[in-house]
Amino acid sequence: MKKITLIFFAVMAVFAGQKLSAQGKYGADSAECIKYLSYYQEYYKQKNYDSALPNWRKAYSLCPATASQNMFVHGTTLMTRLYNQTKDATHREAIVDTILALQDQRMAAYPKKKLDIMNNKGQYMINYRSANPAYIYKNVGAIVDELGPKSNGSLLVNLLQASIALYRENQLTADDVIAMYDKVTANVEGATAKNDAEKEDNLKAKATIESIFADSKVASCDNLIAIFGPRYQADPNNLALVSNIVKLMNTAEDCASNDLYLNAVTSMYKLDPSFRSAFALYRLNAARGNVADAAGYLEEAINSPESDEATDAQYYYEMAAFCYKNGLRGKAYEAAKKAIEMDYGYAGKGYLIMGNLWASATCGDTVDKWARYWAAADYYQKARNADPSVADEAASSLASVSRYYPEASEAFMYDVTKGQSYTVSCGGMTATTTVRVQ
């Protein structure tokens, strides 16, 4: 306490000649305000948070907001720590209310920091109240409405997730969720990154939004036709409308062969030849079995300078899956490699395709007849490690190829032994793998 007292008197000496100005900044009882600010700050620097908390509370009760911006920053940290130590639910809710109130007070006193503070406030709402989707939908939604493209990607992702949860509870319609998807997508696409790290975060947020929306099955083909069919009939030359119809139908399963999709794609390509319309034409031709045309349009979409990296990663995976399914093994191999390199959530699926390509390769009657299965096993293992959503399929495929490993005596006849490194080349593919036996 002696050290704290000395610091207090030093601070008072600094402000002694500034009594009038300090009176305004530090409130009516400026001496007490400065004293408790210095007390809590010293304990805080020492990471003695238990002692800092009561002194911070005293400073907070005495000092105006102008006294110190750190009073709100440190207070949030102390309240967060208290929340983690508290078990009582009612007390926890009160602490969360305090954390959010601190953000509002800091925002009012320091408006230049409003953007960061509002994003932080939204994240605190998500951290502490994500179990209440109606709360997130209303309150995080209000923050996103105000910040628009300046909203953090996490807020946009969680807002869409809350909308989907409310849809499943019959509190929102499919139209509501689709409208929310449009909003968060527009915001993340309109975001301006200050640096490469922010650009990467925005691209990952976009990929996550696309993924959770597709997985939600809200945009079923029947829903989309019911919602957008009449709108298209009323305004078929509205580029924004037809582009949205095509984008949403691309996320829905088996939704590229109906009349609405055909009409919307045709209108979009006519109104705006772009990577999006090229991708839509790929989907249309793929659904109709026009393999060469479909692959050509997809290559056009990938090669467009307008598409971003996350979109290209998705398109490369589409190319890999489509070409593998239709026997274009060379194109499938190259596209899968690109999807893996770019990632954005497609690495695991890309590894799975690479494993399938090796498992089904024609490699002759030498050691390569087994080595293709070893290479396939490598990729299945990578798929399982990279993406939990394909882990079960990868494990099943791994078990399937392991049945084709040679007996140790068979491998020995070809002068290879378990654990040995082996390079296999066949079917236009090359891989260095490890010898495996039964």
Side-chain angles (χ1 to χ4, degrees):
M1 190 66 189
K2 181 178 179 181
K3 182 179 180 182
I4 299 291
T5 303
L6 290 173
I7 291 171
F8 165 66
F9 282 118
V11 171
M12 288 300 294
V14 170
F15 289 102
Q18 304 176 12
K19 185 175 180 181
L20 291 177
S21 61
Q23 179 76 11
K25 180 176 180 180
Y26 295 99
D29 197 348
S30 58
E32 288 295 289
C33 168
I34 293 170
K35 179 174 74 173
Y36 283 103
L37 277 176
S38 65
Y39 284 176
Y40 105 73
Q41 287 172 351
E42 186 59 31
Y43 283 127
Y44 191 93
K45 289 176 186 176
Q46 297 171 8
K47 298 185 178 180
N48 184 352
Y49 301 124
D50 290 337
S51 297
L53 181 57
N55 286 283
W56 173 84
R57 281 188 168 127
K58 190 68 176 176
Y60 179 69
S61 68
L62 289 167
C63 301
T66 53
S68 169
Q69 186 171 185
N70 275 340
M71 183 169 63
F72 299 99
V73 177
H74 295 161
T76 300
T77 301
L78 293 170
M79 287 294 109
T80 300
R81 184 172 179 272
L82 182 62
Y83 177 92
N84 293 332
Q85 294 173 335
T86 302
K87 303 300 181 183
D88 180 74
T90 303
H91 190 192
R92 278 186 149 208
E93 279 299 300
I95 294 170
V96 174
D97 287 339
T98 300
I99 291 172
L100 298 179
L102 287 172
Q103 312 317 306
D104 290 336
Q105 292 162 8
R106 182 186 173 201
M107 206 178 332
Y110 303 94
K112 290 183 179 179
K113 301 290 290 182
K114 183 176 181 179
L115 174 61
D116 291 338
I117 298 168
M118 286 192 75
N119 272 307
N120 289 341
K121 182 181 178 182
Q123 191 60 54
Y124 290 129
M125 291 174 175
I126 291 164
N127 291 348
Y128 299 117
R129 290 179 174 161
S130 59
N132 185 346
Y135 177 89
I136 299 298
Y137 183 80
K138 177 182 177 182
N139 293 282
V140 175
I143 290 174
V144 168
D145 284 343
E146 183 166 348
L147 295 183
K150 295 180 180 179
S151 304
N152 284 350
S154 173
L155 271 60
L156 301 174
V157 169
N158 280 273
L159 183 55
L160 179 59
Q161 287 176 322
S163 303
I164 293 168
L166 292 174
Y167 167 78
R168 289 173 176 158
E169 295 173 4
N170 296 317
Q171 296 185 45
L172 291 180
T173 66
D175 209 351
D176 293 329
V177 179
I178 290 169
M180 181 59 72
Y181 168 75
D182 287 341
K183 177 192 292 186
V184 298
T185 300
N187 282 333
V188 77
E189 288 179 346
T192 301
K194 297 176 184 176
N195 49 51
D196 288 343
E198 283 193 8
K199 180 181 178 182
E200 185 79 6
D201 288 343
N202 290 339
L203 290 172
K204 287 182 178 179
K206 180 184 176 185
T208 302
I209 287 167
E210 298 285 354
S211 177
I212 62 176
F213 184 68
D215 291 344
S216 73
K217 308 299 182 185
V218 173
S220 68
C221 222
D222 289 343
N223 279 346
L224 294 174
I225 292 170
I227 293 169
F228 289 101
R231 298 184 193 178
Y232 176 81
Q233 292 298 327
D235 197 4
N237 293 316
N238 182 329
L239 178 59
L241 174 63
V242 297
S243 298
N244 197 33
I245 292 171
V246 172
K247 178 180 70 173
L248 291 168
M249 287 192 154
N250 281 337
T251 68
E253 189 174 348
D254 298 326
C255 201
S257 59
N258 61 81
D259 290 342
L260 177 59
Y261 187 81
L262 171 62
N263 293 333
V265 167
T266 303
S267 294
M268 186 171 75
Y269 191 72
K270 175 183 174 183
L271 296 167
D272 179 32
S274 66
F275 74 91
R276 292 185 178 88
S277 57
F279 181 75
L281 283 168
Y282 145 72
R283 293 289 299 269
L284 189 60
N285 280 277
R288 284 161 172 73
N290 303 326
V291 175
D293 288 341
Y297 281 120
L298 189 49
E299 285 181 347
E300 181 183 331
I302 291 170
N303 293 331
S304 169
E306 299 172 0
S307 58
D308 58 36
E309 289 182 4
T311 301
D312 287 344
Q314 175 198 344
Y315 288 179
Y316 273 119
Y317 168 69
E318 288 266 357
M319 175 72 84
F322 176 75
C323 290
Y324 171 68
K325 179 181 177 181
N326 289 280
L328 303 175
R329 298 178 60 84
K331 285 183 177 290
Y333 179 76
E334 294 301 325
K337 281 176 61 178
K338 291 296 294 184
I340 291 165
E341 289 170 9
M342 300 181 78
D343 197 357
Y344 291 104
Y346 296 99
K349 295 174 182 177
Y351 283 131
L352 201 58
I353 290 175
M354 293 288 273
N356 292 341
L357 285 166
W358 274 109
S360 60
T362 301
C363 295
D365 292 327
T366 63
V367 176
D368 290 353
K369 66 185 178 183
W370 299 315
R372 61 175 173 150
Y373 296 120
W374 304 334
D378 292 338
Y379 282 111
Y380 290 142
Q381 186 62 54
K382 289 177 180 179
R384 187 164 64 174
N385 294 339
D387 187 349
S389 72
V390 301
D392 290 344
E393 185 179 354
S396 176
S397 297
L398 186 59
S400 294
V401 297
S402 67
R403 295 200 298 267
Y404 299 101
Y405 297 166
E407 297 289 344
S409 57
E410 291 180 285
F412 179 76
M413 295 296 291
Y414 284 88
D415 197 28
V416 291
T417 57
K418 179 182 178 181
Q420 177 183 334
S421 178
Y422 184 85
T423 299
V424 53
S425 295
C426 60
M429 302 182 294
T430 299
T432 298
T433 183
T434 303
V435 174
R436 297 168 173 85
V437 298
Q438 293 291 343

